[in-house]
């Protein structure tokens, strides 16, 4: 008997839901696996893998972030995590996706069936109830072989924890474990890392802590959430400007609004705007200006409760909060199947359009992307591309020659030079930027590839 055509989807966050929706619409059989008890991914603060905190809101605005198919039922421009969870539950219900997932079921392993790395024999997915301890011997694990696997386990769950030189005797906490500003009450707090989470959390801390310092390695571009009374990312929605022009216009505008960041204690950015993820936060500047928080350079050494900084200054702290980001992690899979050296290698899986391994082995990743303003629609478009490819494969297997040709053409693209997804921006050579894309270049490319895979492409050609 041949391999059953059936897809496994890992994760029921925004990306896994988008994958489920696209597969369902394409009439493809699939099973979803979700370790938590419900949909919503990291937007469900009760999900043990969630890295949102009580004060978390979207930093991209509602209308640029939502799925096109289902506008968000909210009056807020930047809804809170609670509203977002309600939205994802509604999305799952609206499209009948809930029944398609096995909740409370963690995927422990994804291995090529029969040891055939090409994936032609499919992939064996091993799962177990999420509460069970892997390797405990309690054999409640179940295996099932799938023709294809869509991996949507998220990118912001596995903390990147640097080793601070020396020893710190106070409390240390990574932002992944931060939930509420109560932890700061009455404490001298040092937040390490000036990205979006670091700045959000430093602003939270201002209202509860005895003192707040923010240690940053580099300067950032700070973008206000509102401009002319409108969410900033809703302005300039027309045809994207060339990279150089946009950089020149927006950096001048930000200079006009924020002035010189050094006045607030921040270093001058060492990169042009959009070469790294901008920080969508103006409150942090306001609090620095009010003297509620002090900006410090990189940590040089810790000694007891004292932290020494790169400029020779020092401070005493009760709590160090590491807002030092996340690393990609696919713990259930040998990274070589994603053309990757693995976590901590400083790189990201080398995937065509951040989705497909170059060998076309039947694995797909949805949601492995960072971009300013890509939203969930960007993830839905990744899912649509995967679904259209799999639909073409299925139709080809059933004797539709044109569909088979479309699928072959798509696989050929994996071996040709890959499209440029940077939009002309030169991203910083940092680990967290290794899977960064420009939203316009990316969405244009993915939509074009999906169009090529649609049956209508034949008649149009
Ligand atoms: C504070 C904060 C603010 C953010 N703001 C924005 C914003 O403004 N705009 C924006 O677009 N994005 C924002 N993001 C990014 C966010 O990652 C995405 O919005 C979105 O949640 C990504 O969805 P996902 O489905 O890829 O991953 P996740 O939401 O992380 O979902 C992954 C799911 O996979 C499940 N899972 C993981 N491993 C397994 C396994 N082995 N077996 C079974 N299930 C598994 C998890 O339980 C989880 O439910 C923000 C993130 C944070 C932390």
């Amino acid at each position: 008997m041949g391999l059953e055509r059936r897809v496994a989807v890992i994760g029921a966050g925004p990306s896994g839901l988008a994958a489920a929706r696209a597969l369902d619409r394409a009439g493809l059989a699939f099973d979803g696996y979700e370790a938590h008890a419900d949909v919503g991914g990291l937007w469900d603060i009760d999900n043990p893998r969630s890295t949102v905190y009580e004060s978390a809101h979207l930093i991209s605005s509602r209308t640029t972030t939502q799925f096109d198919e289902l506008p968000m039922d909210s009056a807020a421009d930047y809804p809170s995590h609670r509203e977002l969870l309600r939205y994802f539950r509604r999305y799952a219900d609206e499209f009948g996706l809930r029944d398609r997932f096995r909740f409370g079921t963690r995927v422990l392993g994804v291995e090529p069936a029969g040891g055939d790395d090409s994936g032609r024999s499919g992939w064996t997915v091993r799962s177990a109830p999420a509460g069970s301890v892997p390797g405990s011997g309690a054999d409640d694990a179940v295996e099932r072989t799938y023709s294809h696997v869509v991996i949507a386990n998220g990118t912001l769950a596995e903390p990147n924890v640097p080793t601070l030189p020396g020893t710190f005797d106070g409390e240390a906490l990574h932002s992944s474990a931060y939930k509420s500003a109560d932890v700061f009450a009455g404490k001298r707090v040092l937040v390490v890392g000036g990205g979006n989470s670091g700045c959000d959390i430093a602003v939270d801390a201002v209202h509860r802590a005895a003192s707040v310092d923010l240690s940053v390695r580099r300067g950032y571009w700070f973008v206000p959430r509102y401009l002319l009374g409108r969410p900033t990312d809703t302005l300039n929605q027309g045809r994207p400007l060339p990279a150089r022009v946009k950089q020149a216009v927006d950096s001048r505008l930000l200079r006009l609004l924020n002035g010189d960041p050094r006045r607030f204690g921040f270093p001058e950015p060492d990169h042009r705007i959009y070469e790294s993820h901008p920080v969508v936060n103006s409150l942090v500047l306001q609090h620095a200006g009010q003297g509620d928080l002090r900006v410090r350079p990189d940590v040089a050494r810790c000694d007891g409760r004292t932290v020494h900084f790169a400029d020779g200054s020092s401070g005493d702290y009760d709590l160090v909060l590491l807002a030092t980001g996340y690393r990609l992690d696919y713990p259930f899979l040998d990274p070589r199947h994603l053309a990757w050296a693995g976590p901590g290698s400083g790189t990201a899986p080398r995937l065509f359009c951040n989705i497909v391994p170059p060998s076309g082995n039947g694995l797909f990743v949805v949601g492995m992307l960072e971009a300013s303003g890509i939203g969930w629609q960007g993830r839905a478009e990744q899912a649509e591309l995967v679904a259209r490819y799999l639909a073409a494969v299925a139709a080809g297997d059933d004797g539709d020659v044109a569909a088979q040709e479309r699928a072959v053409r798509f696989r050929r693209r994996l071996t040709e030079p890959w499209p440029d997804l940077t939009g002309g921006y030169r991203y910083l050579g940092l680990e967290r930027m290794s899977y960064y894309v420009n939203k316009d270049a990316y969405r244009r490319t993915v939509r074009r590839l999906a169009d090529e895979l649609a049956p209508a492409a034949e008649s149009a050609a």
Side-chain angles (χ1 to χ4, degrees), residues 10-11 15 42 49 151-158 327-330 365-368 435:
I10 305 174
S15 303
L42 63 70
R49 259 177 87 86
I151 300 167
N153 64 327
T155 58
L156 302 180
E158 203 52 40
R327 45 182 48 180
L328 296 176
D329 194 26
Y330 304 94
V365 181
V366 173
M368 192 201 80
Y435 56 105

Side-chain angles (χ1 to χ4, degrees), residues 6-224:
R6 197 170 187 86
V7 185
V9 176
I10 305 174
S15 303
L17 287 175
R21 168 71 180 142
L23 293 171
D24 189 46
R25 213 175 20 211
L28 297 159
F30 70 94
D31 297 321
Y33 291 86
E34 168 54 57
H36 185 50
D38 205 346
V39 300
L42 63 70
W43 295 105
D44 184 347
I45 198 166
D46 294 327
N47 181 342
R49 259 177 87 86
S50 172
T51 47
V52 296
Y53 28 87
E54 285 297 345
S55 64
H57 288 73
L58 274 184
I59 57 168
S60 52
S61 69
R62 170 171 52 86
T63 54
T64 56
T65 313
Q66 66 198 5
F67 290 116
D68 284 356
E69 257 193 318
L70 189 70
M72 235 187 260
D73 193 2
S74 164
D77 292 322
Y78 297 98
S80 74
H81 63 89
R82 280 185 201 79
E83 282 193 87
L84 300 177
L85 176 59
R86 278 199 292 277
Y87 174 68
F88 292 118
R89 288 180 171 163
R90 187 159 74 87
Y91 182 89
D93 291 336
E94 181 85 17
F95 300 118
L97 303 177
R98 233 174 241 279
D99 297 347
R100 316 297 295 274
F101 279 88
R102 297 162 190 201
F103 291 105
T105 307
R106 183 185 309 285
V107 169
L108 303 176
V110 175
E111 280 160 24
D116 178 358
D117 281 5
S118 73
R120 270 191 284 275
S121 309
W123 293 87
T124 302
V125 172
R126 191 159 44 84
S127 64
S132 62
V133 181
S136 64
D139 241 346
D140 38 11
V142 179
E143 288 190 352
R144 178 158 189 176
T145 299
Y146 291 91
S147 54
H148 302 90
V149 180
V150 175
I151 300 167
N153 64 327
T155 58
L156 302 180
E158 203 52 40
N160 174 43
V161 184
T163 318
L164 296 180
T167 47
F168 178 66
D169 288 348
E171 242 177 294
L173 191 70
H174 186 271
S175 56
S176 57
Y178 168 72
K179 293 295 160 199
S180 141
D182 292 350
V183 289
F184 299 131
K187 294 179 187 158
R188 296 166 298 174
V189 174
L190 173 67
V191 177
V192 176
N196 279 291
S197 293
C199 288
D200 260 7
I201 294 172
V203 169
D204 268 8
V206 156
H207 302 288
R208 301 299 302 275
S211 67
V212 183
D213 284 6
L214 174 64
S215 158
V216 298
R217 265 194 195 161
R218 59 170 46 83
Y220 295 89
W221 288 94
F222 294 96
V223 177

